[in-house]
């Protein structure tokens, strides 16, 4: 699943982080929802994950206009 286990514990593979960083811009709520599903798996490794994803989660709701500002 993309983990590195060593004496420091369980870490996320840096290659997996790079894939997420290069993710294309979302065009539909479904794409956002799919990304959040993938990213949610790694939430235990990301401090403050729930606060970070709030803006993206709002965009998955009906009748919400996306504004890139």
């Amino acid at each position: 699943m993309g983990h590195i286990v060593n004496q420091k514990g369980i870490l996320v593979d840096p290659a997996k982080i790079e894939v997420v960083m290069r993710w294309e811009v979302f065009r539909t709520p479904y794409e956002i929802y799919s990304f959040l599903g993938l990213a949610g798996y790694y939430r235990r490794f990301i401090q403050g994950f729930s606060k970070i994803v709030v803006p993206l989660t709002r965009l998955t709701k009906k009748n919400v206009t996306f504004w890139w500002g």
Side-chain angles (χ1 to χ4, degrees):
M1 293 297 296
H3 296 88
I4 297 173
V5 180
N6 61 22
Q7 64 275 17
K8 295 180 183 178
I10 301 173
L11 307 169
V12 178
D13 183 0
K16 299 293 182 180
I17 294 171
E18 185 66 30
V19 169
V20 172
M21 296 298 290
R22 291 189 202 176
W23 208 279
E24 292 184 27
V25 176
F26 306 117
R27 306 243 185 261
T28 66
Y30 179 77
E31 291 175 354
I32 296 170
Y33 188 75
S34 295
F35 176 78
L36 289 174
L38 170 70
Y41 176 78
Y42 293 101
R43 69 184 172 271
R44 69 180 279 207
F45 301 101
I46 302 170
Q47 187 174 6
F49 178 81
S50 60
K51 292 179 183 179
I52 294 168
V53 298
V54 166
L56 289 175
T57 304
R58 287 183 186 141
L59 292 175
T60 61
K61 297 182 180 181
K62 291 183 179 183
N63 302 320
V64 174
T65 304
F66 179 78
W67 179 75
W68 190 268

